[in-house]
Amino acid sequence: MLKGLYVAYTGMINEQHRMDTLTNNLANASTVGYKKEGATSQSFDEVLTVKIKDASVGNVTQRIGRNNPGVKIGENYTDFTQGSFRVTGNTYDLALAGDGFFAIEFTNKAGETSTMYTRGGQFTLNTQGYLVTEDGDYVLDTQNRRIRLNTLQDSQIDSNGRITQNGTAVATIQVADFEDYNYLEKYGETYYRPVEGARATRGTAEIKSGYLEMANVQIVSEMVNLIAITRAYESNQKIIQTYDGSLEIAATQLGRG
């Protein structure tokens, strides 16, 4: 197979991956607490250079495996920059101004419980008085306990996350942070879970009651990127069509005489 066909094919696969990432951002442009994602790619010479300069195996010559010129899909990354705030006036709608995450007690379909972290603060009280997310997951306090309030009393939440009812402090909402966000794995659209190597710290963000942090997706710039990706995909497609036409001529016309 001609190498040009493979190069164009890998280019189409890479642009499709970028398109999938970008359209997911656009689909979540109105999702509270969503952080946009980006896609990276690596060229053949970059992959080869990394292998050649890899000193972790000493001076042993390494095989780079089955690899061909073209583009290789890299890793996705998350942009954790803060989104804009929307005023709601609802006491239990919370936004974080600064670095940090709300701690959530999450239960999966198998009944297993773990702690997740999110920037989405669209909370409410359930019928039992527990502070929960839209999906019913429990919001945790600084002692990793569920927060339960009196549904018949009004609540006030200060910038430190302290919840008071009738002038009495009832609980303090936990704000956690991590030294390196590269050790956070995305779960769903707005949840994150730490992986091995993650080091938790105390969050420094202020809690804003009556506000929600919106997605940090800029629709105009995403649409511009969408057009660029589409054009790049079409260019690779035309290359394949050109090669296909050349191969057809070589197979059906050359050699006649």
Side-chain angles (χ1 to χ4, degrees):
M1 184 176 69
L2 296 176
K3 290 183 178 180
L5 284 174
Y6 181 85
V7 172
Y9 163 75
T10 59
M12 292 177 69
I13 294 297
N14 181 68
E15 296 305 330
Q16 181 63 58
H17 176 69
R18 292 179 61 200
M19 177 77 75
D20 292 342
T21 303
L22 189 147
T23 51
N24 184 60
N25 289 337
L26 289 173
N28 287 281
S30 59
T31 300
V32 174
Y34 177 81
K35 298 301 178 185
K36 70 176 182 179
E37 292 186 306
T40 62
S41 58
Q42 295 175 292
S43 62
F44 170 76
D45 58 343
E46 289 176 332
V47 177
L48 180 61
T49 300
V50 170
K51 280 293 184 181
I52 291 176
K53 294 184 177 181
D54 184 5
S56 63
V57 294
N59 296 319
V60 178
T61 302
Q62 299 181 82
R63 294 178 60 86
I64 64 171
R66 299 176 61 183
N67 210 330
N68 292 283
V71 62
K72 178 180 182 295
I73 294 177
E75 297 180 352
N76 276 25
Y77 64 90
T78 302
D79 181 357
F80 285 98
T81 57
Q82 187 165 297
S84 60
F85 287 172
R86 176 165 63 88
V87 180
T88 66
N90 185 345
T91 301
Y92 301 115
D93 281 343
L94 306 177
L96 292 173
D99 297 331
F101 300 86
F102 296 110
I104 306 296
E105 182 184 295
F106 174 77
T107 304
N108 61 20
K109 293 181 180 180
E112 300 169 336
T113 300
S114 60
T115 301
M116 297 284 184
Y117 299 90
T118 183
R119 294 280 297 190
Q122 202 165 12
F123 304 142
T124 187
L125 294 183
N126 64 13
T127 55
Q128 297 175 315
Y130 288 104
L131 189 63
V132 296
T133 67
E134 284 189 310
D135 296 325
D137 299 320
Y138 297 96
V139 181
L140 299 178
D141 66 6
T142 53
Q143 304 299 318
N144 286 322
R145 299 174 301 192
R146 299 175 180 177
I147 298 174
R148 191 172 190 179
L149 306 174
N150 188 337
T151 57
L152 301 178
Q153 296 180 0
D154 292 333
S155 300
Q156 294 80 39
I157 304 176
D158 65 18
S159 60
N160 294 319
R162 186 181 297 105
I163 306 174
T164 58
Q165 290 185 315
N166 283 343
T168 303
V170 180
T172 301
I173 298 171
Q174 180 181 163
V175 179
D177 201 8
F178 295 88
E179 290 184 359
D180 190 344
Y181 290 171
N182 289 321
Y183 291 96
L184 291 180
E185 180 182 57
K186 195 166 188 178
Y187 187 91
E189 299 301 342
T190 60
Y191 279 0
Y192 299 90
R193 58 184 174 189
V195 298
E196 184 178 355
R199 299 183 63 179
T201 61
R202 185 175 180 179
T204 59
E206 288 187 9
I207 294 180
K208 302 286 188 180
S209 177
Y211 295 83
L212 288 175
E213 181 186 1
M214 304 308 295
N216 62 349
V217 177
Q218 301 294 328
I219 296 179
V220 174
S221 62
E222 294 296 296
M223 291 300 296
V224 171
N225 291 334
L226 181 64
I227 294 172
I229 291 172
T230 303
R231 294 290 181 267
Y233 187 92
E234 291 174 349
S235 297
N236 285 296
Q237 191 176 40
K238 289 179 181 178
I239 291 173
I240 291 180
Q241 291 172 345
T242 301
Y243 267 105
D244 183 62
S246 300
L247 291 173
E248 182 180 3
I249 293 174
T252 61
Q253 299 181 25
L254 295 181
R256 289 182 180 179

